[in-house]
Coordinates of all heavy atoms in Angstrom, one line a residue:
P311 N 26.8 15.9 -34.5 CA 25.9 14.8 -34.5 C 24.9 14.8 -35.7 O 24.6 15.9 -36.1 CB 25.2 14.9 -33.1 CG 25.3 16.2 -32.8 CD 26.6 16.8 -33.3
D312 N 24.5 13.7 -36.1 CA 23.5 13.6 -37.2 C 22.1 14.0 -36.6 O 21.6 13.3 -35.7 CB 23.5 12.2 -37.7 CG 22.5 12.1 -38.9 OD1 22.1 13.1 -39.4 OD2 22.1 10.9 -39.1
L313 N 21.6 15.0 -37.0 CA 20.3 15.5 -36.5 C 19.1 14.9 -37.3 O 18.0 15.2 -37.0 CB 20.3 17.1 -36.6 CG 21.3 17.8 -35.7 CD1 21.2 19.3 -35.9 CD2 21.1 17.4 -34.3
G314 N 19.4 14.2 -38.3 CA 18.3 13.6 -39.2 C 17.4 14.7 -39.6 O 17.8 15.6 -40.4
R315 N 16.1 14.7 -39.3 CA 15.2 15.7 -39.8 C 15.0 16.9 -38.9 O 14.2 17.7 -39.1 CB 13.8 15.0 -40.0 CG 13.9 13.9 -40.9 CD 12.8 13.4 -41.6 NE 11.6 12.9 -40.8 CZ 10.5 12.5 -41.5 NH1 10.4 12.5 -42.8 NH2 9.5 12.1 -40.8
R316 N 15.9 17.0 -37.9 CA 15.8 18.2 -37.0 C 16.9 19.2 -37.4 O 17.9 18.9 -38.0 CB 16.2 17.7 -35.5 CG 15.2 16.8 -34.9 CD 15.6 16.4 -33.5 NE 16.8 15.6 -33.5 CZ 17.5 15.3 -32.5 NH1 17.3 15.9 -31.3 NH2 18.6 14.6 -32.6
F317 N 16.5 20.5 -37.2 CA 17.4 21.5 -37.5 C 18.4 21.8 -36.4 O 19.4 22.3 -36.6 CB 16.6 22.8 -37.8 CG 15.9 22.9 -39.1 CD1 14.6 23.2 -39.1 CD2 16.5 22.7 -40.3 CE1 13.9 23.2 -40.3 CE2 15.9 22.7 -41.5 CZ 14.5 23.0 -41.5
A318 N 18.0 21.4 -35.2 CA 18.8 21.6 -34.0 C 18.5 20.6 -32.9 O 17.4 20.1 -33.0 CB 18.6 23.1 -33.4
E319 N 19.4 20.3 -32.0 CA 19.1 19.4 -30.9 C 18.3 20.0 -29.7 O 17.7 19.3 -29.0 CB 20.4 18.9 -30.4 CG 21.2 18.0 -31.3 CD 22.4 17.4 -30.7 OE1 23.1 18.2 -29.9 OE2 22.6 16.2 -30.9
R320 N 18.4 21.4 -29.6 CA 17.8 22.0 -28.4 C 17.0 23.3 -28.9 O 17.2 23.7 -30.0 CB 18.8 22.5 -27.4 CG 19.9 21.5 -27.1 CD 19.8 20.6 -25.9 NE 19.3 21.0 -24.6 CZ 18.6 20.3 -23.9 NH1 18.3 19.0 -24.2 NH2 18.1 20.7 -22.7
K321 N 16.1 23.6 -28.0 CA 15.3 24.9 -28.3 C 15.0 25.5 -27.0 O 15.1 24.9 -25.9 CB 14.0 24.5 -29.1 CG 13.1 23.6 -28.3 CD 11.9 23.2 -29.1 CE 11.1 22.1 -28.5 NZ 9.9 21.6 -29.3
R322 N 14.6 26.8 -27.1 CA 14.2 27.6 -25.9 C 12.7 27.9 -26.1 O 12.3 28.4 -27.1 CB 15.1 28.9 -25.8 CG 16.5 28.7 -25.4 CD 17.2 30.0 -25.2 NE 18.6 29.8 -25.3 CZ 19.4 29.6 -24.2 NH1 18.8 29.6 -23.1 NH2 20.7 29.4 -24.4
C323 N 12.0 27.7 -24.9 CA 10.6 27.9 -24.9 C 10.2 28.6 -23.6 O 10.9 28.7 -22.7 CB 9.8 26.5 -25.0 SG 10.2 25.5 -26.4
A324 N 8.9 29.1 -23.7 CA 8.4 29.8 -22.5 C 7.8 28.7 -21.5 O 7.6 29.0 -20.3 CB 7.3 30.7 -22.9
D325 N 7.4 27.5 -22.0 CA 6.8 26.5 -21.1 C 7.3 25.2 -21.6 O 7.8 25.0 -22.7 CB 5.3 26.6 -21.0 CG 4.7 26.3 -22.4 OD1 5.0 26.9 -23.4 OD2 3.8 25.4 -22.5
A326 N 7.1 24.0 -20.9 CA 7.5 22.7 -21.2 C 7.0 22.2 -22.5 O 7.5 21.4 -23.1 CB 7.2 21.8 -20.0
E327 N 5.8 22.6 -22.9 CA 5.1 22.2 -24.1 C 5.4 23.1 -25.3 O 5.0 22.8 -26.4 CB 3.6 22.1 -24.0 CG 3.2 21.0 -23.1 CD 3.3 21.4 -21.5 OE1 3.1 22.5 -21.2 OE2 3.6 20.5 -20.8
C328 N 6.1 24.2 -25.1 CA 6.4 25.2 -26.1 C 5.1 25.8 -26.8 O 5.1 26.0 -28.0 CB 7.3 24.6 -27.2 SG 8.9 24.2 -26.6
S329 N 4.1 25.8 -25.9 CA 2.7 26.3 -26.5 C 2.4 27.8 -26.1 O 1.5 28.3 -26.7 CB 1.6 25.4 -26.0 OG 1.6 25.5 -24.5
M330 N 3.2 28.3 -25.2 CA 3.0 29.7 -24.8 C 3.9 30.6 -25.7 O 5.0 30.2 -26.1 CB 3.4 29.9 -23.3 CG 2.4 29.1 -22.3 SD 2.9 29.3 -20.7 CE 2.9 31.1 -20.4
L331 N 3.3 31.8 -26.0 CA 4.0 32.8 -26.7 C 5.3 33.2 -26.0 O 5.3 33.5 -24.8 CB 3.2 33.9 -27.0 CG 2.1 33.8 -28.1 CD1 1.2 35.0 -28.1 CD2 2.8 33.5 -29.5
M332 N 6.3 33.4 -26.7 CA 7.6 34.0 -26.1 C 7.6 35.4 -26.4 O 7.9 36.3 -25.5 CB 8.8 33.3 -26.7 CG 8.9 31.8 -26.4 SD 10.5 31.1 -26.9 CE 11.6 31.8 -25.7
C333 N 7.4 35.9 -27.6 CA 7.4 37.3 -28.0 C 6.6 37.4 -29.4 O 6.2 36.4 -29.9 CB 8.8 37.7 -28.2 SG 9.8 36.8 -29.3
R334 N 6.5 38.7 -29.7 CA 5.9 39.0 -31.0 C 6.7 40.2 -31.7 O 7.4 40.9 -30.9 CB 4.4 39.3 -31.0 CG 4.2 40.7 -30.4 CD 2.7 41.2 -30.6 NE 2.6 42.5 -30.1 CZ 2.0 42.9 -29.1 NH1 1.3 42.0 -28.4 NH2 1.9 44.2 -28.7
G335 N 6.6 40.2 -32.9 CA 7.3 41.3 -33.6 C 6.8 41.5 -35.1 O 5.7 40.9 -35.4
R336 N 7.4 42.5 -35.7 CA 7.0 42.8 -37.1 C 8.1 42.4 -38.0 O 9.2 42.5 -37.7 CB 6.7 44.3 -37.3 CG 5.4 44.7 -36.5 CD 4.8 45.8 -37.3 NE 3.5 46.2 -36.6 CZ 2.4 45.8 -36.9 NH1 2.2 44.9 -37.8 NH2 1.3 46.1 -36.2
A337 N 7.6 41.8 -39.1 CA 8.6 41.4 -40.2 C 9.3 42.6 -40.8 O 8.6 43.6 -41.1 CB 7.9 40.6 -41.3
T338 N 10.6 42.6 -40.9 CA 11.3 43.7 -41.5 C 11.5 43.6 -42.9 O 11.8 44.6 -43.6 CB 12.8 43.8 -40.9 OG1 13.5 42.5 -41.1 CG2 12.7 44.0 -39.4
R339 N 11.1 42.5 -43.5 CA 11.1 42.3 -45.0 C 10.3 41.0 -45.3 O 10.0 40.2 -44.5 CB 12.4 42.3 -45.7 CG 13.4 41.3 -45.2 CD 14.7 41.4 -45.9 NE 15.4 40.1 -46.1 CZ 16.5 40.0 -45.7 NH1 17.3 40.9 -45.2 NH2 17.1 38.8 -45.8
D340 N 10.0 40.8 -46.6 CA 9.3 39.7 -47.1 C 10.1 38.5 -46.9 O 11.3 38.6 -47.0 CB 8.9 39.8 -48.5 CG 7.9 40.9 -48.9 OD1 7.4 41.6 -47.9 OD2 7.5 41.1 -50.0
F341 N 9.5 37.3 -46.6 CA 10.2 36.0 -46.5 C 9.4 35.0 -47.2 O 8.1 34.8 -46.8 CB 10.5 35.7 -45.1 CG 11.1 34.3 -44.9 CD1 12.4 34.1 -45.3 CD2 10.4 33.3 -44.4 CE1 12.9 32.8 -45.3 CE2 10.9 32.1 -44.2 CZ 12.2 31.8 -44.7
K342 N 9.9 34.2 -48.0 CA 9.3 33.0 -48.6 C 10.2 31.8 -48.3 O 11.3 31.8 -48.9 CB 9.0 33.2 -50.2 CG 8.3 31.9 -50.7 CD 7.6 32.3 -51.9 CE 7.0 31.0 -52.6 NZ 6.2 30.2 -51.8
G343 N 9.8 30.8 -47.5 CA 10.6 29.8 -47.1 C 10.9 28.9 -48.3 O 10.1 28.7 -49.2
P344 N 11.9 27.9 -48.1 CA 12.3 27.0 -49.1 C 11.3 25.8 -49.2 O 11.3 25.2 -50.3 CB 13.7 26.5 -48.8 CG 13.8 26.8 -47.3 CD 12.9 28.0 -47.0
D345 N 10.6 25.5 -48.2 CA 9.6 24.5 -48.3 C 8.6 24.7 -47.2 O 8.5 25.7 -46.6 CB 10.3 23.1 -48.0 CG 11.1 22.9 -46.7 OD1 10.4 23.3 -45.7 OD2 12.1 22.3 -46.8
C346 N 7.6 23.7 -47.0 CA 6.4 23.9 -46.2 C 6.7 23.9 -44.7 O 5.8 24.2 -43.9 CB 5.4 22.8 -46.5 SG 5.8 21.2 -46.0
R347 N 7.9 23.7 -44.3 CA 8.3 23.8 -42.9 C 8.5 25.2 -42.4 O 8.6 25.5 -41.2 CB 9.6 22.9 -42.6 CG 9.4 21.5 -42.8 CD 10.7 20.8 -42.7 NE 11.7 21.2 -43.7 CZ 12.9 20.9 -43.8 NH1 13.5 20.1 -42.9 NH2 13.7 21.4 -44.7
F348 N 8.5 26.1 -43.4 CA 8.8 27.5 -43.1 C 7.4 28.3 -43.2 O 6.6 27.9 -44.1 CB 9.8 28.1 -44.1 CG 11.2 27.5 -43.8 CD1 11.5 26.3 -44.3 CD2 12.1 28.2 -43.0 CE1 12.7 25.7 -44.1 CE2 13.3 27.7 -42.8 CZ 13.6 26.4 -43.4
V349 N 7.3 29.4 -42.5 CA 6.2 30.2 -42.6 C 6.6 31.4 -43.5 O 7.7 32.0 -43.3 CB 5.7 30.7 -41.2 CG1 6.6 31.5 -40.4 CG2 4.3 31.4 -41.2
N350 N 5.7 31.8 -44.4 CA 5.9 32.9 -45.3 C 5.3 34.2 -44.6 O 4.2 34.1 -44.0 CB 5.3 32.6 -46.7 CG 6.0 31.4 -47.3 OD1 7.2 31.1 -47.2 ND2 5.1 30.7 -47.9
F351 N 5.9 35.3 -44.9 CA 5.3 36.6 -44.5 C 5.7 37.8 -45.3 O 6.7 37.6 -46.0 CB 5.5 36.8 -43.0 CG 7.0 36.7 -42.5 CD1 7.9 37.6 -42.8 CD2 7.3 35.6 -41.8 CE1 9.2 37.5 -42.3 CE2 8.6 35.5 -41.4 CZ 9.6 36.4 -41.6
K352 N 5.0 38.8 -45.2 CA 5.3 40.1 -45.9 C 5.8 41.1 -44.9 O 5.5 41.0 -43.7 CB 4.0 40.6 -46.5 CG 3.4 39.7 -47.5 CD 4.0 39.8 -48.8 CE 3.3 39.1 -49.9 NZ 4.0 38.7 -51.1
K353 N 6.6 42.0 -45.4 CA 7.1 43.1 -44.5 C 6.0 43.7 -43.8 O 4.9 44.1 -44.4 CB 7.9 44.1 -45.4 CG 8.5 45.2 -44.6 CD 9.2 46.2 -45.5 CE 9.8 47.3 -44.6 NZ 10.6 48.3 -45.4
G354 N 6.1 43.9 -42.5 CA 5.2 44.6 -41.7 C 4.2 43.7 -41.0 O 3.4 44.1 -40.1
E355 N 4.1 42.5 -41.4 CA 3.2 41.5 -40.7 C 3.6 41.2 -39.3 O 4.8 41.1 -39.1 CB 3.0 40.2 -41.6 CG 2.1 40.4 -42.8 CD 1.8 39.0 -43.4 OE1 2.7 38.4 -43.9 OE2 0.6 38.7 -43.5
V356 N 2.6 40.9 -38.5 CA 2.9 40.5 -37.1 C 3.2 39.0 -37.1 O 2.6 38.2 -37.7 CB 1.7 40.8 -36.2 CG1 1.9 40.3 -34.8 CG2 1.5 42.3 -36.2
V357 N 4.4 38.7 -36.4 CA 4.8 37.3 -36.3 C 4.9 37.0 -34.8 O 5.4 37.7 -34.0 CB 6.3 37.1 -36.9 CG1 6.6 35.6 -36.8 CG2 6.2 37.5 -38.4
F358 N 4.3 35.8 -34.4 CA 4.3 35.4 -33.0 C 5.3 34.3 -32.9 O 5.3 33.3 -33.7 CB 2.9 34.9 -32.6 CG 1.9 36.0 -32.5 CD1 1.0 36.2 -33.6 CD2 1.8 36.8 -31.5 CE1 0.1 37.2 -33.6 CE2 0.8 37.8 -31.3 CZ 0.0 38.0 -32.5
V359 N 6.2 34.4 -31.9 CA 7.3 33.3 -31.7 C 7.0 32.4 -30.5 O 6.6 32.8 -29.4 CB 8.6 34.1 -31.3 CG1 9.7 33.0 -31.1 CG2 8.9 35.0 -32.5
Y360 N 7.0 31.1 -30.8 CA 6.7 30.1 -29.9 C 8.0 29.4 -29.3 O 8.0 28.9 -28.2 CB 5.8 29.0 -30.4 CG 4.4 29.6 -30.5 CD1 3.9 30.2 -31.6 CD2 3.5 29.4 -29.4 CE1 2.7 30.7 -31.7 CE2 2.2 29.9 -29.5 CZ 1.8 30.6 -30.7 OH 0.5 31.1 -30.8
Y361 N 9.0 29.3 -30.2 CA 10.3 28.7 -29.7 C 11.4 29.2 -30.6 O 11.2 29.5 -31.7 CB 10.2 27.2 -29.4 CG 10.0 26.4 -30.6 CD1 11.0 25.9 -31.4 CD2 8.7 25.9 -30.9 CE1 10.7 25.0 -32.5 CE2 8.4 25.0 -32.0 CZ 9.5 24.6 -32.8 OH 9.2 23.7 -33.8
K362 N 12.6 29.0 -30.0 CA 13.9 29.5 -30.7 C 14.8 28.3 -30.7 O 15.1 27.7 -29.7 CB 14.5 30.7 -29.9 CG 13.6 31.9 -29.7 CD 14.2 32.8 -28.8 CE 13.3 34.0 -28.5 NZ 13.9 35.0 -27.5
L363 N 15.2 27.9 -31.9 CA 16.2 26.9 -32.0 C 17.6 27.3 -31.5 O 17.9 28.5 -31.7 CB 16.3 26.3 -33.4 CG 15.0 25.7 -34.0 CD1 15.3 25.2 -35.4 CD2 14.5 24.6 -33.1
I364 N 18.3 26.5 -30.8 CA 19.6 26.8 -30.3 C 20.6 25.7 -30.8 O 20.2 24.5 -31.0 CB 19.7 27.0 -28.8 CG1 19.1 25.9 -28.0 CG2 18.9 28.3 -28.5 CD1 19.2 26.0 -26.5
G365 N 21.9 26.0 -30.8 CA 22.9 25.1 -31.1 C 23.2 25.2 -32.6 O 23.5 26.3 -33.1
K366 N 23.0 24.2 -33.4 CA 23.4 24.2 -34.8 C 22.7 25.3 -35.6 O 23.3 25.9 -36.5 CB 23.2 22.8 -35.4 CG 23.7 22.7 -36.8 CD 23.5 21.2 -37.3 CE 23.9 21.1 -38.8 NZ 23.8 19.8 -39.3
S367 N 21.4 25.4 -35.5 CA 20.6 26.3 -36.3 C 20.1 27.5 -35.4 O 18.9 27.6 -35.3 CB 19.5 25.6 -37.0 OG 19.9 24.8 -37.9
T368 N 20.9 28.3 -34.8 CA 20.5 29.4 -33.9 C 19.9 30.4 -34.7 O 19.3 31.3 -34.1 CB 21.7 29.9 -33.2 OG1 22.7 30.4 -34.1 CG2 22.3 28.9 -32.3
E369 N 19.9 30.4 -36.1 CA 19.3 31.6 -36.8 C 17.8 31.3 -37.1 O 17.1 32.2 -37.6 CB 20.0 31.7 -38.1 CG 19.7 30.6 -39.1 CD 20.6 29.4 -39.0 OE1 21.5 29.3 -38.1 OE2 20.4 28.4 -39.7
L370 N 17.3 30.1 -36.7 CA 15.8 29.9 -36.9 C 15.1 29.9 -35.7 O 15.4 29.4 -34.7 CB 15.7 28.4 -37.6 CG 16.2 28.2 -39.0 CD1 16.0 26.9 -39.4 CD2 15.5 29.2 -40.0
W371 N 13.8 30.5 -35.8 CA 12.9 30.6 -34.7 C 11.6 29.9 -35.3 O 11.5 29.8 -36.6 CB 12.6 31.9 -34.4 CG 13.6 32.6 -33.4 CD1 14.8 32.0 -33.1 CD2 13.6 33.9 -32.9 NE1 15.5 32.9 -32.3 CE2 14.8 34.1 -32.2 CE3 12.8 35.0 -33.0 CZ2 15.1 35.3 -31.5 CZ3 13.0 36.1 -32.3 CH2 14.2 36.3 -31.6
A372 N 10.7 29.5 -34.5 CA 9.4 28.9 -35.0 C 8.2 29.8 -34.5 O 8.2 30.2 -33.4 CB 9.2 27.5 -34.5
G373 N 7.3 30.1 -35.4 CA 6.2 30.9 -35.0 C 5.1 31.0 -36.0 O 5.0 30.1 -36.8
S374 N 4.1 31.8 -35.7 CA 3.0 31.8 -36.6 C 2.7 33.3 -37.1 O 3.0 34.2 -36.6 CB 1.7 31.4 -35.8 OG 1.5 32.3 -34.8
V375 N 2.1 33.2 -38.3 CA 1.5 34.4 -39.0 C 0.1 34.1 -39.4 O -0.1 33.1 -40.2 CB 2.4 34.8 -40.2 CG1 1.8 36.0 -40.9 CG2 3.8 35.1 -39.8
G376 N -0.8 34.7 -38.7 CA -2.2 34.3 -39.0 C -2.4 32.8 -38.5 O -1.9 32.5 -37.4
S377 N -2.9 31.9 -39.4 CA -3.1 30.5 -39.0 C -2.0 29.6 -39.5 O -2.0 28.4 -39.3 CB -4.5 30.0 -39.5 OG -4.4 30.1 -40.9
D378 N -0.9 30.2 -40.1 CA 0.2 29.4 -40.6 C 1.3 29.4 -39.6 O 1.6 30.4 -38.8 CB 0.8 30.1 -41.9 CG -0.2 30.1 -43.0 OD1 -1.1 29.1 -43.0 OD2 -0.2 31.0 -43.9
F379 N 2.0 28.2 -39.4 CA 3.0 28.0 -38.5 C 4.3 27.5 -39.2 O 4.1 26.6 -40.1 CB 2.6 27.1 -37.4 CG 3.6 26.9 -36.3 CD1 3.5 27.7 -35.2 CD2 4.5 25.8 -36.3 CE1 4.5 27.6 -34.2 CE2 5.5 25.8 -35.3 CZ 5.5 26.6 -34.2
G380 N 5.4 27.9 -38.8 CA 6.7 27.3 -39.4 C 7.9 28.1 -38.9 O 7.8 29.0 -38.0
Y381 N 9.0 27.7 -39.5 CA 10.3 28.3 -39.1 C 10.5 29.6 -40.0 O 9.9 29.7 -41.1 CB 11.4 27.3 -39.4 CG 11.4 26.1 -38.5 CD1 11.0 24.9 -39.1 CD2 11.6 26.2 -37.2 CE1 11.0 23.7 -38.3 CE2 11.7 25.0 -36.4 CZ 11.3 23.8 -37.0 OH 11.3 22.7 -36.1
F382 N 11.3 30.4 -39.5 CA 11.8 31.6 -40.2 C 13.0 32.1 -39.6 O 13.4 31.8 -38.5 CB 10.7 32.7 -40.1 CG 10.4 33.2 -38.7 CD1 11.1 34.3 -38.2 CD2 9.5 32.6 -37.9 CE1 10.9 34.7 -36.9 CE2 9.3 33.0 -36.6 CZ 10.0 34.1 -36.1
P383 N 13.9 32.9 -40.4 CA 15.2 33.5 -39.9 C 14.8 34.5 -38.9 O 14.0 35.5 -39.1 CB 15.8 34.0 -41.2 CG 15.1 33.5 -42.3 CD 13.7 33.2 -41.8
K384 N 15.4 34.4 -37.7 CA 15.2 35.4 -36.6 C 15.6 36.8 -37.0 O 15.0 37.7 -36.5 CB 15.9 35.0 -35.3 CG 17.4 35.1 -35.4 CD 18.1 34.8 -34.1 CE 19.5 35.0 -34.1 NZ 20.1 34.8 -32.8
D385 N 16.6 37.0 -37.9 CA 17.0 38.3 -38.3 C 16.0 39.1 -39.0 O 16.1 40.3 -39.2 CB 18.2 38.1 -39.1 CG 19.4 37.5 -38.3 OD1 19.4 37.6 -37.1 OD2 20.4 37.1 -39.0
L386 N 14.9 38.4 -39.5 CA 13.8 39.1 -40.2 C 12.7 39.7 -39.3 O 11.7 40.1 -39.8 CB 13.2 38.2 -41.3 CG 14.2 37.7 -42.3 CD1 13.5 36.8 -43.3 CD2 14.9 38.8 -43.0
L387 N 13.0 39.6 -38.0 CA 11.9 40.0 -37.0 C 12.4 41.1 -36.1 O 13.5 41.0 -35.5 CB 11.4 38.8 -36.3 CG 10.2 39.0 -35.4 CD1 9.0 39.2 -36.2 CD2 10.0 37.7 -34.5
E388 N 11.6 42.2 -36.0 CA 11.9 43.3 -35.0 C 10.9 43.0 -33.9 O 9.7 43.3 -34.0 CB 11.6 44.6 -35.7 CG 12.0 45.7 -34.8 CD 11.7 47.1 -35.6 OE1 12.4 47.4 -36.5 OE2 10.7 47.8 -35.2
I389 N 11.5 42.5 -32.7 CA 10.6 42.3 -31.5 C 10.1 43.5 -30.9 O 10.8 44.5 -30.8 CB 11.5 41.6 -30.5 CG1 12.1 40.3 -31.0 CG2 10.7 41.3 -29.2 CD1 11.3 39.2 -31.4
N390 N 8.8 43.5 -30.7 CA 8.1 44.7 -30.1 C 7.4 44.4 -28.8 O 6.9 45.3 -28.1 CB 7.2 45.5 -31.0 CG 6.2 44.6 -31.7 OD1 5.7 43.6 -31.1 ND2 5.8 45.0 -32.9
H391 N 7.4 43.1 -28.5 CA 6.7 42.7 -27.1 C 7.2 41.3 -26.7 O 7.2 40.4 -27.5 CB 5.2 42.7 -27.2 CG 4.6 42.5 -25.9 ND1 4.5 43.4 -24.9 CD2 4.0 41.3 -25.3 CE1 3.9 43.0 -23.9 NE2 3.6 41.6 -24.1
N392 N 7.8 41.2 -25.4 CA 8.1 39.9 -24.9 C 7.1 39.5 -23.9 O 6.5 40.3 -23.1 CB 9.5 40.0 -24.1 CG 10.7 40.1 -25.1 OD1 10.9 39.2 -25.9 ND2 11.4 41.2 -25.0
Y393 N 6.7 38.2 -24.0 CA 5.6 37.6 -23.2 C 6.2 36.9 -22.0 O 5.5 36.6 -21.0 CB 4.8 36.7 -23.9 CG 3.9 37.3 -25.0 CD1 4.2 37.4 -26.3 CD2 2.7 38.0 -24.6 CE1 3.5 38.0 -27.2 CE2 1.9 38.6 -25.5 CZ 2.3 38.6 -26.9 OH 1.5 39.3 -27.8
C394 N 7.5 36.4 -22.1 CA 8.0 35.7 -21.0 C 9.4 36.3 -20.5 O 10.1 36.9 -21.3 CB 8.3 34.1 -21.3 SG 9.6 34.0 -22.6
K395 N 9.7 36.1 -19.2 CA 10.9 36.6 -18.6 C 11.9 35.6 -18.6 O 13.1 35.8 -18.7 CB 10.6 37.2 -17.4 CG 9.8 38.5 -17.4 CD 9.6 39.1 -16.1 CE 8.6 40.1 -16.3 NZ 8.4 41.2 -15.4
E396 N 11.5 34.3 -18.5 CA 12.5 33.2 -18.3 C 12.2 32.2 -19.5 O 11.1 32.0 -19.9 CB 12.3 32.5 -17.1 CG 12.7 33.3 -15.8 CD 12.6 32.5 -14.6 OE1 12.9 31.3 -14.5 OE2 12.4 33.2 -13.5
E397 N 13.3 31.6 -20.0 CA 13.2 30.6 -21.1 C 13.7 29.3 -20.6 O 14.6 29.2 -19.9 CB 14.0 31.1 -22.3 CG 13.5 32.4 -22.8 CD 14.4 32.9 -24.0 OE1 15.4 32.2 -24.4 OE2 14.1 33.9 -24.6
L398 N 13.0 28.2 -21.0 CA 13.4 26.8 -20.7 C 14.1 26.3 -21.9 O 13.8 26.6 -23.0 CB 12.1 26.0 -20.5 CG 11.2 26.4 -19.4 CD1 10.0 25.4 -19.3 CD2 11.9 26.2 -18.0
E399 N 15.2 25.5 -21.6 CA 15.9 24.9 -22.7 C 15.5 23.4 -22.7 O 15.5 22.7 -21.7 CB 17.4 24.9 -22.4 CG 18.2 24.4 -23.6 CD 19.7 24.7 -23.5 OE1 20.1 25.8 -23.1 OE2 20.5 23.7 -23.7
L400 N 15.0 23.0 -23.9 CA 14.5 21.6 -24.1 C 15.1 21.0 -25.2 O 15.4 21.7 -26.2 CB 12.9 21.8 -24.2 CG 12.2 22.4 -23.1 CD1 10.8 22.8 -23.5 CD2 12.2 21.6 -21.8
P401 N 15.0 19.6 -25.3 CA 15.4 18.9 -26.5 C 14.3 19.1 -27.7 O 13.2 19.3 -27.3 CB 15.5 17.4 -26.1 CG 14.6 17.4 -25.0 CD 14.6 18.7 -24.3
T402 N 14.8 19.2 -28.9 CA 13.9 19.3 -30.0 C 13.3 17.8 -30.4 O 14.0 16.9 -30.2 CB 14.5 20.0 -31.3 OG1 15.6 19.1 -31.6 CG2 14.8 21.3 -31.0
D403 N 12.1 17.9 -31.0 CA 11.6 16.7 -31.5 C 12.0 16.7 -33.1 O 12.7 17.6 -33.5 CB 10.0 16.7 -31.4 CG 9.6 16.7 -30.0 OD1 10.3 15.9 -29.1 OD2 8.6 17.4 -29.6
V404 N 11.4 15.9 -33.8 CA 11.6 16.0 -35.3 C 11.1 17.3 -35.7 O 10.0 17.8 -35.3 CB 10.8 14.8 -36.0 CG1 10.9 14.9 -37.5 CG2 11.4 13.5 -35.5
S405 N 11.8 17.9 -36.6 CA 11.3 19.1 -37.3 C 10.0 19.1 -37.9 O 9.6 17.9 -38.3 CB 12.4 19.7 -38.3 OG 13.5 20.0 -37.6
L406 N 9.3 20.1 -38.1 CA 8.0 20.1 -38.9 C 8.2 19.2 -40.1 O 9.2 19.2 -40.8 CB 7.6 21.5 -39.2 CG 7.3 22.4 -38.0 CD1 7.1 23.8 -38.5 CD2 6.1 21.9 -37.2
I407 N 7.1 18.5 -40.4 CA 7.1 17.6 -41.6 C 6.2 18.2 -42.7 O 5.2 18.6 -42.5 CB 6.7 16.2 -41.2 CG1 7.7 15.6 -40.1 CG2 6.7 15.3 -42.4 CD1 7.3 14.3 -39.5
C408 N 6.7 18.1 -43.9 CA 5.9 18.5 -45.1 C 5.1 17.4 -45.6 O 5.6 16.2 -45.7 CB 6.8 19.0 -46.2 SG 7.8 20.5 -45.9
Y409 N 3.9 17.7 -45.9 CA 2.9 16.6 -46.5 C 2.4 17.1 -47.8 O 2.3 18.2 -48.1 CB 1.7 16.4 -45.6 CG 2.1 15.7 -44.3 CD1 2.1 16.4 -43.0 CD2 2.4 14.4 -44.2 CE1 2.5 15.7 -41.9 CE2 2.7 13.7 -43.1 CZ 2.8 14.4 -41.9 OH 3.1 13.8 -40.7

């Protein structure tokens, strides 16, 4: 299906608003995203995960580093703490928009 500005049709979250932390981890290497929808980080920085895209773009998660929020490849994160035991599957809205 045509996802338009979405990376995936569905996502997994800890709560219905996707506002609760799912997990946290440390970046295994530096990452600089292709545009402002992505969060940049350096190896060793703590990354907090709020939701995980599922379906077409299963490789992308959304989270924060400091006050910056955006998508990043899940393979660049070594999880060291899980905050939730159950995950909700929800439809995605429009992906983050660059201004």
Side-chain angles (χ1 to χ4, degrees):
D312 180 20
L313 298 175
R315 301 201 303 179
R316 293 181 293 167
F317 288 126
E319 290 185 321
R320 315 264 320 145
K321 60 186 173 183
R322 292 187 195 266
C323 303
D325 66 305
E327 291 79 35
C328 297
S329 61
M330 292 177 57
L331 285 172
M332 296 185 77
C333 58
R334 77 167 182 249
R336 290 214 178 264
T338 57
R339 62 180 204 230
D340 293 356
F341 174 70
K342 179 156 175 55
D345 61 42
C346 70
R347 295 174 295 174
F348 292 81
V349 65
N350 300 322
F351 48 75
K352 300 278 188 199
K353 180 179 179 178
E355 282 190 298
V356 174
V357 180
F358 294 94
V359 178
Y360 287 89
Y361 60 89
K362 304 170 181 179
L363 296 181
I364 56 176
K366 185 176 177 180
S367 290
T368 58
E369 72 279 355
L370 291 179
W371 287 359
S374 65
V375 176
S377 61
D378 296 328
F379 185 88
Y381 296 108
F382 62 91
K384 70 177 185 176
D385 295 341
L386 300 183
L387 190 65
E388 181 178 294
I389 302 296
N390 53 30
H391 186 77
N392 286 301
Y393 292 100
C394 70
K395 294 184 186 204
E396 294 185 31
E397 298 179 358
L398 302 174
E399 187 173 315
L400 303 165
T402 57
D403 298 321
V404 174
S405 295
L406 298 172
I407 299 171
C408 294
Y409 291 104

